[in-house]
Amino acid sequence: MTESLRTEQTDGVLIVTVDQAGDAINKMDRSLGAELERVLGQVDTDRTIRALVIASGKKDIFIAGADIEQFLEFKTELDAEAASKFGQRLLNLLEKSRVPVVAAIHGACLGGGLELALACTWRICTDHPKTVLALPEVQLGLIPGMGGTQRLPRLVGVSNALDMILTGRNVRAKKALQMGLVDEMLHPDILVETAAQRARDLADKKVKPRRKGARGFMSALLDKNPFGRSVVYNRARAGVIDKTAGHYPAPLAAIDVVRNGLSNGMTSGLEEEARVFGRMALTPESKQLVFLFFATTSLKKDMGVAVDPAPEPLPVRKLAVLGAGFMGAGIASIAVQQGTVVRLKDTDLARVGKGLSSVRGVIKERLDRKQITRPQYDDMMTLAGGTIDYSGFGNANLLIEAVFEDLEVKHAVLQAVEDKLPVDAVIASNTSTLPIRSVAAGLKRPDRVLGMHFFSPVHKMPLLEVIVTPETAPQATVTAVSYGRKLGKTVIVVNDGPGFYTTRILTAYMNEAGRLLEQGVPVDAIDSALVGFGFPVGPLTLMDEVGLDVGGKVGKTMFESFGERMAPADGVRRVVESGRLGRKGRSGFYLYDATGRKGDVDPSIYPILLGADRAASRSQIDPISATEIVDRCVMAMVNEAVRCLEEGILRSPRDGDIGAVFGLGWPPFRGGPFRYVDALGVDEVLSRLDTFDGRFPVRFKPAGMLIEMSRARTRFYPVEGRPV
């Protein structure tokens, strides 16, 4: 037995159990690699060992990938290339082992863990929901570096391999079996026993390794000839460009490495994989994506309270939701998927029925995509119930109010429900702008009140913003945070204030887009420039998606709270007052067909924005460059983010960066607003803000924190070492 491996020999089979001490998961690191190499050396010399099984001693984890900590040690491309070559050499030894090797896979088999399994003779996995296989390196701006770009396409075909490598998506057990990624699938209880028997069968030549390569006539046809593979490569490259606009170098590099290996042989492919892995590991994109990995990892341990130890969260077995509209039904739909009983209330049965229908639609989509079974679907739907009174609220641990964004309405419904709940129940308002202290005013237990700001659509957007007041009890906070994570959300905790964090910085961004419109910049030019920066959609498309009526109300609230700095553009105000609703009303900045599909810019928007005379002479308006469009919108957002940190709305730059990336679509490869300041340099940011402040007074006045950082020569994150 070693620090990371346990070995047991039975009937000629050496069973190696990976179980790294002091860690909840197994990671491919140098220590594990060295120990595995010693075991392979033992196998090579001990002739009583006829076969080898590699299994895991962790719960629901095979090997979760490489140790990301080691990436912080890379100072040069050669450092990263050397790490790749170390892993390649180890797995080459495994692949060429004197005896057959069976990988017994249960739980997450990711990154380096899957690359290890690929080097084995035979792969068996369990039919458990937690068993997933993936090469997620592109999500860190990298490519697989331990032979994955070479062994995977040879095993499952080029098309399947590129789909896995370029997306990083999880492949579940049944799909893995169908595509030939694993050789067998079975129940967890018999995994190791069966793996040992299969290892003996392989040693005795009773079973032969299966034929490698793509399955299915068309896939095999494309794989077998250079022309067919060229079609696959070109299609993959076009797909990457379409999805990433070329902002991420790793996926494109991965295609070239796969192509090299299949054209020039395994040795050449591995050499190229190591070289390119080294180059990718030092790119700015990878450094920002690795930062986000560490940031989200550290956030999972943060309960959002200053007291130590943090109090235990209430177990949320039953959730009450006030309001069966789009947001309320969305919250209910993700709650039942986590086994929570949900009581959905609205003012009449028709609204309740519509809400339950929405819940059904979200879960049915998962059923149709075969992500859940019919019995699971039925079980989830039995957890959702509706009411027009408060029956069933008496044992709800958490209530989430999701009614109309109006303070008087929220006061009325919360005051009516407070006495219907248990004394220790947490009361949360799903609001995007209204201060929680104002929402809690008039309630008997303001210490149990906080905000839980979900993003739309709830079942797709990953962020949850929990908003606390000075009166909020720590137990209420940890309950909201814990339950938010159970729902699968990335949770940040922020302090109370108008618009909190995300709505506040988004308003600054959207308002500046509105000012550009007033100057005559075309709608599509603004959207195109910000998509070019890396946002998934432009600000005006986003405004149409959110709803112009909703955006108008938010803008009014923020203007009332912050004054001239947050004043909405008059042209946008006129568009809102014209009655356009955006996509939901099939009338906004863009045209929409009967299904809600977006078309071209609606030309009739310009007379509303600019007035008839200026609209008619738009071609004579001086153009504004894409660079200025981006700088104005982004600098407005960045400056407001720093103000939020300065004022204590944010607890840390980490939370601000995660909130912007996971809640607002800030480009992940740019890290977040605070990482962006560090990347540009605070002096450069101040220079841009000062220039715009001279042209557009008030809106771009630099945050005091930026000025102080320039004087003190400081930054938000350390230059070296762990980023958070």
Side-chain angles (χ1 to χ4, degrees):
M1 177 168 176
T2 66
E3 187 176 343
S4 299
L5 301 178
R6 297 195 304 271
T7 58
E8 176 186 0
Q9 188 170 341
T10 174
D11 194 19
V13 177
L14 184 67
I15 298 175
V16 179
T17 302
V18 184
D19 194 0
Q20 289 174 306
D23 206 327
I25 63 173
N26 292 322
K27 296 176 290 190
M28 288 295 296
D29 57 17
R30 283 190 172 272
S31 174
L32 175 60
E35 292 178 29
L36 186 57
E37 187 170 357
R38 283 196 291 272
V39 169
L40 292 173
Q42 175 191 348
V43 169
D44 195 45
T45 58
D46 186 347
R47 295 291 162 167
T48 66
I49 299 174
R50 302 174 52 244
L52 185 66
V53 169
I54 301 178
S56 169
K58 302 297 185 186
K59 177 179 170 59
D60 298 334
I61 294 285
F62 179 66
I63 297 175
D67 181 6
I68 309 303
E69 295 279 352
Q70 70 178 328
F71 296 168
L72 302 178
E73 301 171 7
F74 299 153
K75 306 301 180 188
T76 68
E77 292 182 7
L78 289 177
D79 292 340
E81 183 177 343
S84 174
K85 287 182 175 179
F86 174 84
Q88 289 179 349
R89 185 178 65 82
L90 173 67
L91 297 191
N92 284 344
L93 289 174
L94 180 65
E95 185 175 48
K96 296 172 183 176
S97 172
R98 179 182 63 81
V99 303
V101 184
V102 175
I105 302 166
H106 172 71
C109 177
L110 310 176
L114 179 54
E115 290 179 291
L116 180 146
L118 291 172
C120 294
T121 316
W122 193 269
R123 287 157 294 282
I124 303 177
C125 76
T126 66
D127 57 359
H128 194 275
K130 294 291 181 68
T131 296
V132 292
L133 301 91
L135 291 176
E137 286 84 357
V138 290
Q139 296 170 6
L140 295 177
L142 301 167
I143 68 168
M146 297 173 63
T149 65
Q150 304 306 303
R151 292 190 177 93
L152 185 62
R154 287 170 170 82
L155 180 65
V156 301
V158 180
S159 185
N160 283 330
L162 286 178
D163 182 63
M164 289 184 66
I165 293 170
L166 301 182
T167 65
R169 68 165 58 100
N170 289 340
V171 175
R172 299 189 180 275
K174 185 177 180 180
K175 176 66 174 176
L177 181 64
Q178 290 172 342
M179 65 193 288
L181 184 56
V182 299
D183 300 288
E184 294 179 74
M185 179 180 72
L186 41 71
H187 193 277
D189 289 348
I190 58 172
L191 173 64
V192 176
E193 175 188 348
T194 304
Q197 183 57 53
R198 200 63 67 243
R200 294 186 194 97
D201 293 342
L202 288 162
D204 294 338
K205 311 295 184 185
K206 293 179 180 179
V207 172
K208 294 182 179 180
R210 296 186 180 182
R211 182 179 62 84
K212 297 180 179 181
R215 298 186 179 185
F217 174 76
M218 186 54 67
S219 295
L221 183 64
L222 290 172
D223 265 19
K224 284 180 179 178
N225 65 87
F227 176 76
R229 289 198 297 269
S230 179
V231 171
V232 174
Y233 298 138
N234 291 337
R235 188 169 57 198
R237 181 174 295 276
V240 168
I241 294 294
D242 182 58
K243 291 178 181 177
T244 70
H247 289 304
Y248 295 84
L252 295 174
I255 296 171
D256 292 337
V257 172
V258 169
R259 187 170 199 161
N260 178 294
L262 291 180
S263 298
N264 302 322
M266 188 79 168
T267 300
S268 175
L270 289 173
E271 289 177 357
E272 185 68 1
E273 178 187 83
R275 186 187 70 80
V276 173
F277 179 88
R279 180 161 56 86
M280 292 298 106
L282 272 292
T283 60
E285 293 83 1
S286 180
K287 288 183 178 298
Q288 298 294 13
L289 294 170
V290 168
F291 154 73
L292 287 173
F293 169 83
F294 281 114
T296 53
T297 300
S298 69
L299 195 64
K300 291 173 184 176
K301 304 172 185 176
D302 184 350
M303 297 306 295
V305 295
V307 294
D308 189 19
E312 286 296 314
L314 290 174
V316 180
R317 299 187 181 92
K318 189 172 189 179
L319 171 67
V321 180
L322 286 178
F326 187 69
M327 293 302 293
I331 294 166
S333 74
I334 61 172
V336 296
Q337 293 182 57
Q338 298 304 320
T340 307
V341 177
V342 177
R343 198 69 169 153
L344 190 62
K345 181 192 180 300
D346 215 307
T347 53
D348 60 60
L349 289 174
R351 290 175 182 271
V352 173
K354 187 175 180 181
L356 291 174
S357 177
S358 295
V359 172
R360 185 178 298 106
V362 170
I363 302 174
K364 181 66 162 53
E365 183 179 350
R366 292 200 65 198
L367 177 65
D368 292 342
R369 293 184 176 183
K370 299 183 179 180
Q371 296 172 345
I372 58 174
T373 63
R374 171 60 70 170
Q376 288 174 318
Y377 167 84
D378 293 336
D379 289 345
M380 290 173 186
M381 284 309 304
T382 62
L383 296 173
T387 180
I388 57 173
D389 54 26
Y390 297 102
S391 58
F393 276 45
N395 59 348
N397 314 102
L398 172 64
L399 175 133
I400 300 178
E401 164 270 304
V403 301
F404 190 63
E405 193 82 343
D406 181 280
L407 193 56
E408 289 186 7
V409 175
K410 291 182 183 291
H411 279 163
V413 298
L414 290 176
Q415 288 170 11
V417 75
E418 186 175 20
D419 289 338
K420 310 294 191 300
L421 299 167
V423 174
D424 63 348
V426 176
I427 297 174
S429 177
N430 176 55
T431 174
S432 59
T433 55
L434 299 174
I436 300 304
R437 181 175 279 182
S438 299
V439 173
L443 293 181
K444 298 172 184 176
R445 301 189 298 276
D447 62 311
R448 311 302 297 176
V449 180
L450 44 70
M452 291 180 73
H453 177 203
F454 291 85
F455 293 73
S456 178
V458 178
H459 64 290
K460 293 183 178 179
M461 293 296 287
L463 188 73
L464 170 63
E465 189 177 26
V466 172
I467 307 101
V468 299
T469 74
E471 290 78 32
T472 303
Q475 189 188 49
T477 302
V478 300
T479 297
V481 170
S482 177
Y483 188 63
R485 289 178 184 152
K486 181 180 179 180
L487 295 178
K489 300 302 181 185
T490 298
V491 185
I492 62 170
V493 176
V494 303
N495 289 311
D496 194 23
F500 326 124
Y501 171 63
T502 53
T503 301
R504 183 169 160 184
I505 68 170
L506 182 64
T507 300
Y509 169 78
M510 301 287 257
N511 280 351
E512 199 54 39
R515 298 290 183 183
L516 287 159
L517 283 174
E518 280 191 329
Q519 288 183 251
V521 181
V523 169
D524 47 352
I526 297 172
D527 276 354
S528 177
L530 273 305
V531 170
F533 179 75
F535 283 96
V537 297
L540 304 172
T541 295
L542 180 60
M543 203 177 295
D544 269 2
E545 289 292 323
V546 170
L548 298 181
D549 54 336
V550 174
K553 191 171 183 61
V554 169
K556 183 174 181 292
T557 301
M558 300 303 287
F559 176 44
E560 291 169 352
S561 299
F562 294 101
E564 191 61 28
R565 190 173 84 249
M566 289 285 193
D570 286 338
V572 174
R573 177 182 53 77
R574 288 192 295 271
V575 171
V576 173
E577 291 173 352
S578 73
R580 293 178 181 234
L581 297 177
R583 187 169 70 89
K584 64 186 176 184
R586 300 206 296 274
S587 177
F589 291 101
Y590 290 88
L591 296 167
Y592 297 89
D593 65 19
T595 66
R597 182 178 299 175
K598 177 183 161 192
D600 295 332
V601 175
D602 185 347
S604 68
I605 200 78
Y606 291 112
I608 304 173
L609 284 166
L610 305 173
D613 292 342
R614 289 188 67 215
S617 58
R618 275 196 309 123
S619 60
Q620 301 173 25
I621 296 174
D622 291 337
I624 293 177
S625 70
T627 299
E628 179 173 330
I629 293 170
V630 168
D631 267 355
R632 282 171 57 178
C633 292
V634 169
M635 284 297 115
M637 179 183 266
V638 165
N639 198 35
E640 202 62 36
V642 176
R643 288 180 185 274
C644 287
L645 182 63
E646 184 178 65
E647 296 168 16
I649 298 296
L650 282 174
R651 299 179 304 139
S652 68
R654 175 204 67 184
D655 291 0
D657 284 335
I658 287 179
V661 170
F662 289 91
L664 304 179
W666 177 280
F669 69 92
R670 298 188 189 275
F674 296 94
R675 295 283 292 185
Y676 189 61
V677 171
D678 280 354
L680 286 180
V682 68
D683 288 343
E684 174 62 23
V685 172
L686 280 173
S687 174
R688 296 185 191 188
L689 288 171
D690 285 336
T691 298
F692 290 139
D693 188 39
R695 293 171 57 193
F696 315 108
V698 180
R699 301 204 304 272
F700 290 96
K701 182 180 179 181
M705 179 176 278
L706 290 172
I707 297 171
E708 183 53 40
M709 288 173 65
S710 177
R711 289 175 182 154
R713 315 310 301 165
T714 57
R715 45 189 285 133
F716 290 113
Y717 295 96
V719 177
E720 301 290 343
R722 229 175 188 275
V724 288

